[in-house]
Amino acid sequence: MKENAEQVLTRKMRRILLISLLFTGGCSVSCLVEIVQDTLQGVWSYVGWAQYLYTMVFCSVIILFFFTILLLYWTHRSFADIFSKGTHLIGVVLITAAFVIPRIPDYRPGMITICHFGNFVLADGLFLLIGIVFILLASILEVGYSLQNEVDATI
């Protein structure tokens, strides 16, 4: 009976991963087309470098998420291990962008900023907050994974 439950869970997980792959794969292809078109057309000349990089960071996050799910689907390795590392990497990319993008001269502060004095903005709050959430999620997954390994080792 336990084997059937594990097989159902595996089938269910594969189905969810496949749907996620199709969705994020479509989004990734769209993002790659956007990156190539914007780069070839020199979009930054009329929307500005900051907006261009904002779009590139967003596209990079979607592509990283797609590759994380693809790695999960292909390797059949530990879900928590791969997913936590991919989520952590996405968080690092977003936090880095939060501090780099405001240094660009044509940056216009959004609704959420960190330490905004005159023309100076320390960090873009939206990318910073989302990046922190991703890193916290990755940390929760890592701790849960290690606790599960401890429980499995004692049984």
Side-chain angles (χ1 to χ4, degrees), residues 17-27 66:
L17 285 174
L18 190 59
I19 291 169
S20 299
L21 272 175
L22 292 174
F23 179 73
T24 58
C27 291
F66 168 72

Side-chain angles (χ1 to χ4, degrees), residues 18-19 21 25 28 41 68 85 93 95-96 98 104 112-113 152-153:
L18 190 59
I19 291 169
L21 272 175
S28 294
Q41 294 173 357
T68 299
K85 287 178 182 171
V93 166
I95 289 175
T96 302
I104 297 170
I112 306 171
T113 56
D152 290 347

Side-chain angles (χ1 to χ4, degrees), residues 38-53:
D38 287 357
T39 304
L40 292 176
Q41 294 173 357
V43 161
W44 56 85
S45 63
Y46 55 89
V47 297
W49 275 101
Q51 184 60 41
Y52 174 73
L53 289 177

Side-chain angles (χ1 to χ4, degrees), residues 6-76:
E6 288 176 5
Q7 287 176 349
V8 169
L9 183 63
T10 303
R11 262 188 268 138
K12 185 176 183 180
M13 182 59 127
R14 283 187 181 179
R15 189 176 322 125
I16 291 170
L17 285 174
L18 190 59
I19 291 169
S20 299
L21 272 175
L22 292 174
F23 179 73
T24 58
C27 291
S28 294
V29 168
S30 175
C31 283
L32 286 173
V33 169
E34 178 82 18
I35 289 171
V36 170
Q37 281 181 339
D38 287 357
T39 304
L40 292 176
Q41 294 173 357
V43 161
W44 56 85
S45 63
Y46 55 89
V47 297
W49 275 101
Q51 184 60 41
Y52 174 73
L53 289 177
Y54 231 80
T55 304
M56 294 303 113
V57 169
F58 180 73
C59 289
S60 299
V61 165
I62 290 174
I63 292 167
L64 280 171
F65 194 69
F66 168 72
F67 281 115
T68 299
I69 295 172
L70 188 63
L71 192 61
L72 278 170
Y73 191 77
W74 272 350
T75 62
H76 302 290

Side-chain angles (χ1 to χ4, degrees), residues 50-61 90-102 107 112-114 123-135:
Q51 184 60 41
Y52 174 73
L53 289 177
Y54 231 80
T55 304
M56 294 303 113
V57 169
F58 180 73
C59 289
S60 299
V61 165
I90 290 170
V92 168
V93 166
L94 288 170
I95 289 175
T96 302
F99 287 98
V100 170
I101 290 178
Y107 173 76
I112 306 171
T113 56
I114 308 297
D124 182 84
L126 184 63
F127 275 168
L128 183 64
L129 292 175
I130 295 172
I132 290 170
V133 167
F134 270 93
I135 287 181

